[in-house]
Structures are given as structure tokens and as C-alpha cells.
Amino acid sequence: ADIYERTAAELARQGLDCECLGGGRLAHRPQERKIHVYGYSVGFGRADHSVTTEKLKAEYPDYEITWADEGY
């Protein structure tokens, strides 16, 4: 929620609006070049982790990026 509130405020200053579609967590292991997306947000529910994973793969093509709905 903290990240969303800061981002929404910054976008509002630029005349833009946003909506949080869900949340989750990231486990980042830079030495292994791995990112795992999992879990959910108590306040916002679960994001579509497959979308998050595809966006991360585009930004980090040399990483192994996985996701699961399990976990908090």
C-alpha cells in the first residue's frame, strides 16, 4: 500500500490517475539471476502474476523468472 500511495500521488501531480489491480511479493536473488513472484496483498488482493512475470522477463531477459499463487 505504501508504494501504491506514493506512486498514485506522483501520478496525480502529473495529472494522471491509476488503479491498483492487486499485489504480491518478489524474491530477488541477484547472484543467481532469479526472481520469483508470489503471494498477495491483504488490502488489494492477488495480482495477475503471469502479467508481472512477462513484464519482468522483458526487462530482465537474462534472469530466470517464475511465479506461483502460493505464499504471502
Side-chain angles (χ1 to χ4, degrees):
D2 294 335
I3 294 169
Y4 174 67
E5 288 172 12
R6 284 193 309 261
T7 302
E10 176 61 31
L11 290 172
R13 285 191 289 278
Q14 298 176 38
L16 301 170
D17 191 22
C18 66
E19 176 184 0
C20 183
L21 301 177
R25 299 179 183 274
L26 300 175
H28 182 206
R29 294 183 288 196
Q31 291 78 14
E32 299 173 40
R33 302 186 97 57
K34 293 182 179 182
I35 298 173
H36 182 65
V37 182
Y38 67 99
Y40 62 94
S41 164
V42 172
F44 297 110
R46 179 173 285 117
D48 184 343
H49 296 328
S50 66
V51 172
T52 305
T53 299
E54 290 308 310
K55 293 190 178 299
L56 286 167
K57 285 180 179 180
E59 190 66 28
Y60 300 96
D62 57 337
Y63 268 64
E64 176 186 337
I65 302 176
T66 57
W67 68 274
D69 280 333
E70 292 80 33
Y72 170 73

